Amino acid sequence: MMSRIIESASPRALALLAIVTAVLIAAPSFVNNYVLSVLIIVLYFAYVGQAWNLMLGFAGQLSLGHALFVSLGAYTSAALFIKFGVSPVVGVFAAIAVAVVAGCLIGYLGFRFSIRGVYFALLTIAFAEFTGIIVDHISWLGASSGLFLPVKNLQSNDIVNLRGSPTMFYYVILTLTGLALALCSWLLNSKLGLYWQAIREDQEAAEASGVPLFRYKMIAVAISSGLTGVGGVWYAFYYNNLFPETMFKTSQSVEIILGSVVGGVGSLFGPVLGAFVLTPLGEALTAATEGMHVDGVKSFFWGLCVAAIVLFRPQGLWPWLYDLLGLGPKREGKKP
Amino acid sequence: MSAPGQAGRAGSLIVRNISKRFGGLVAVSDVSFTVAAGEIHALIGPNGAGKTTTFNMIAGAQPPDTGDVQLDGVSLAGLRPDQICRAGVGRTFQIVRPFNELTLVENVAVGALAWTDDLAEARDHARGVLELLGLGDKKEARPSSITLPDRKCLEVARALATKPKLLLLDEVMAGLRPTETDRMVAIFKKLNADTGLTILLIEHVMRAVMALSDRVLVLNYGRLIADGKPEEVTRDPEVLACYLGAEAFD
């Protein structure tokens, strides 16, 4: 189930990866604006899903509060840009710092005091929710009426200030997703990755084998929250408006993780595949249910689809697709 | 492959007056013993006598309420299990605890990473240890697809890969057939002879205890009731009464 695709990459898998990459790079030149906007959302969820997956899928620590790190990254970079004219290229480092500090604080409390599993998840929810309430009362950050980035009609893309066309945002998030995948793949095939997986599989056995649990869990939460914070920077400059009552909510966190769950927790390409399935699914259902004029009918069918996937492919879609397409090397006992 | 145990005689264990209480139950009471470097000692006794708790206190999984544990004269008090592992104590778990989603090589490589940061080196070492324990042809398998005796071997391999000076074996022979037991005994004898690896084993299989041990320690109701040569201990009336009985000697 757990994918170590690079290590066991077959020619077929590499070819598929190359084709998908090429299509995604060329996409803006042949898709219309609507499809491009969907692809942008897909890649955003692929990116933050991957960042989240690093914590649960790799290191076994469940976070249901990743909206916090998106929001902190978004608010930090947006506030620096609006109030002080700081370019997001610089602001992203402040965003990472804030997200990592928050992640490490939650991690420290959870891991030092052995708050595990669902209790740790509750801790992450609590931090996200109460940070939202705090931001809701900070008028400097727009409080409940929201924080808005100035929108200008530019002739050309301003990459330094992340002001420009959807195509620019598309390439930025595509690059981020590619970099996150490369980073995760490298981490997974390092000492760090093996230690994380050992912790995920059996914490006591890992500790008895010389794995310093606290340190390696902290590294996982730090990298995951930092990556997610970068996603928040992109989010702020793409959407141009931030509201505490939506940004910090658990529903946001769940949206981040659903792609990974559907695609396959712990696998490298699961979060990407999940995003490519769920977002278009939502769009298709919106289109299909448009004429029905029944409140919630789209959400109903969407939920039904997600439940069906989770029920019939509990390991996620990626391991199934991996076998279906014969992407793995033919080795006995070696699952993707 | 390089030797799994560290060269030279090291790994002496001193256990001094350790006790462990769980609520009102005294699991281990004022137990003291020493294992000289390079020796093999067996820890035997009825179920619930406190053998695994004693192991947990040595390995740091359950810190002792009182007393002290020393490895080569250095106290292990206050150290975490991973630090004690790096200090030179390898352990196995009575109920096997493999990393199920990892291959056998990866399982064992986790142990080897205790002394190297190089994953390739850790994997190489892991392959060697797996060969040594007769799991060479199952290196890329996953723990769920191998037999229980093999998983017991895997448990030993992971502990050995950490290059311990002292190896704690918690009932690794249980459930093995006599031929498998003999093979395991031969492996430990060879490791002990070749590398001076000190071994403390909890074991119910008297065949293995008698074949391996320089000394036998007997726990009953959390107290150490005997500590001596195997042939002495097995004739001790108190030991016979509480644990062995005549039928233990086949």
Side-chain angles (χ1 to χ4, degrees):
Chain A
M1 171 184 119
M2 303 303 167
S3 177
R4 261 134 313 135
I5 185 75
I6 298 304
E7 166 200 322
S8 59
S10 63
R12 193 186 284 196
L14 289 174
L16 184 69
L17 183 63
I19 291 167
V20 171
T21 308
V23 169
L24 285 175
I25 289 172
S29 61
F30 63 82
V31 300
N32 61 31
N33 285 344
Y34 168 70
V35 175
L36 188 68
S37 71
V38 174
L39 278 177
I40 287 172
I41 299 168
V42 166
L43 288 171
Y44 167 71
F45 280 115
Y47 175 81
V48 288
Q50 188 63 268
W52 171 84
N53 184 45
L54 191 146
M55 241 177 100
L56 178 72
F58 296 0
Q61 309 304 311
L62 174 61
S63 160
L64 292 177
H66 259 49
L68 174 65
F69 308 128
V70 172
S71 304
L72 289 175
Y75 267 97
T76 304
S77 59
L80 284 173
F81 182 68
I82 298 165
K83 311 284 180 185
F84 306 108
V86 177
S87 153
V89 175
V90 177
V92 69
F93 293 102
I96 292 171
V98 172
V100 169
V101 166
C104 288
L105 181 65
I106 297 170
Y108 180 85
L109 291 172
F111 307 144
R112 179 58 80 212
F113 300 105
S114 296
I115 301 167
R116 288 200 205 168
V118 289
Y119 299 101
F120 179 72
L122 283 176
L123 190 71
T124 62
I125 292 177
F127 267 83
E129 292 285 338
F130 81 63
T131 310
I133 293 168
I134 292 170
V135 171
D136 203 45
H137 288 85
I138 300 177
S139 50
W140 192 71
L141 291 173
S144 53
S145 43
L147 192 61
F148 298 90
L149 280 87
V151 181
K152 279 183 240 161
N153 272 325
L154 293 171
Q155 295 303 311
S156 59
N157 291 326
D158 179 2
I159 186 82
V160 175
N161 287 314
L162 272 185
R163 305 283 74 191
S165 67
T167 305
M168 183 196 78
F169 281 97
Y170 174 83
Y171 280 117
V172 170
I173 195 68
L174 180 62
T175 308
L176 286 177
T177 307
L179 290 176
L181 263 175
L183 177 70
C184 286
S185 157
W186 177 72
L187 288 173
L188 207 50
N189 291 293
S190 68
K191 173 174 182 169
L192 197 60
L194 193 56
Y195 266 13
W196 281 342
Q197 293 175 80
I199 293 170
R200 178 192 73 203
E201 293 299 316
D202 191 322
Q203 179 161 313
E204 279 77 23
E207 195 176 30
S209 308
V211 180
L213 299 179
F214 180 76
R215 186 191 309 166
Y216 280 87
K217 288 187 198 173
M218 286 299 279
I219 295 172
V221 75
I223 297 176
S224 179
S225 54
L227 283 174
T228 311
V230 174
V233 176
W234 180 91
Y235 183 100
F237 285 78
Y238 180 64
Y239 285 104
N240 295 313
N241 55 70
L242 306 169
F243 298 98
E245 74 261 34
T246 53
M247 290 297 289
F248 291 89
K249 285 295 165 208
T250 306
S251 57
Q252 287 282 327
S253 299
V254 170
E255 225 176 324
I256 291 171
I257 75 177
L258 261 186
S260 298
V261 172
V262 164
V265 173
S267 61
L268 210 46
F269 288 96
V272 181
L273 180 67
F276 269 94
V277 170
L278 284 187
T279 310
L281 178 70
E283 294 297 317
L285 284 173
T286 305
T289 57
E290 223 163 19
M292 289 192 194
H293 304 295
V294 182
D295 280 347
V297 66
K298 180 217 156 184
S299 303
F300 174 77
F301 282 111
W302 194 80
L304 217 57
C305 290
V306 172
I309 296 172
V310 173
L311 206 61
F312 291 109
R313 297 279 166 245
Q315 311 287 356
L317 290 171
W318 173 250
W320 166 75
L321 192 70
Y322 188 89
D323 283 342
L324 194 75
L325 298 178
L327 298 179
K330 296 277 179 286
R331 252 195 285 167
E332 203 192 346
K334 178 87 180 174
K335 291 183 283 177
Chain B
M1 61 168 278
S2 56
Q6 295 199 337
R9 298 237 151 177
S12 74
L13 175 72
I14 299 173
V15 173
R16 202 175 281 155
N17 307 106
I18 57 169
S19 301
K20 187 75 191 174
R21 179 187 281 276
F22 299 109
L25 176 85
V26 181
V28 173
S29 174
D30 202 29
V31 165
S32 302
F33 60 87
T34 62
V35 182
E39 290 200 343
I40 302 180
H41 288 206
L43 185 57
I44 66 171
N47 291 324
K51 304 185 295 294
T52 296
T53 304
T54 302
F55 263 29
N56 283 340
M57 285 191 280
I58 297 170
Q62 293 172 325
D65 297 334
T66 64
D68 190 29
V69 175
Q70 293 179 358
L71 181 71
D72 290 329
V74 179
S75 173
L76 301 178
L79 296 184
R80 297 187 309 264
D82 59 289
Q83 294 170 320
I84 292 176
C85 170
R86 284 158 195 264
V89 180
R91 76 165 299 181
T92 69
F93 290 94
Q94 184 183 358
I95 296 160
V96 293
R97 307 184 77 150
F99 306 126
N100 278 315
E101 289 290 342
L102 303 182
T103 64
L104 264 55
V105 171
E106 288 166 335
N107 264 274
V108 180
V110 170
L113 287 172
W115 50 266
T116 176
D117 288 332
D118 182 349
L119 191 56
E121 187 184 7
R123 285 168 163 279
D124 279 346
H125 185 78
R127 286 189 195 96
V129 177
L130 285 168
E131 293 284 352
L132 179 78
L133 286 160
L135 291 169
D137 54 341
K138 303 184 180 90
K139 286 193 279 269
E140 297 301 327
R142 274 158 215 275
S144 53
S145 68
I146 62 174
T147 62
L148 181 62
D150 280 349
R151 264 177 274 166
K152 295 242 172 192
C153 282
L154 174 63
E155 199 67 28
V156 176
R158 190 173 62 195
L160 271 182
T162 65
K163 290 193 179 173
K165 293 184 268 187
L166 168 69
L167 183 61
L168 305 175
L169 300 169
D170 197 345
E171 290 197 40
V172 291
M173 321 272 186
L176 300 194
R177 288 191 296 272
T179 51
E180 292 165 337
T181 303
D182 291 345
R183 190 183 64 132
M184 200 80 120
V185 165
I187 289 168
F188 293 135
K189 272 194 166 160
K190 184 167 160 39
L191 275 170
N192 175 256
D194 291 354
T195 67
L197 178 68
T198 310
I199 299 174
L200 179 62
L201 69 156
I202 294 175
E203 200 50 72
H204 285 296
V205 180
M206 289 311 290
R207 183 190 177 90
V209 171
M210 301 309 282
L212 275 172
S213 315
D214 298 308
R215 289 180 83 82
V216 175
L217 307 154
V218 187
L219 273 178
N220 191 30
Y221 292 115
R223 292 180 177 281
L224 197 65
I225 59 167
D227 178 355
K229 293 195 182 309
E231 53 278 12
E232 295 165 12
V233 168
T234 49
R235 264 185 263 121
D236 185 316
E238 197 183 355
V239 174
L240 289 171
C242 84
Y243 178 54
L244 290 171
E247 72 278 7
F249 303 95
D250 44 15

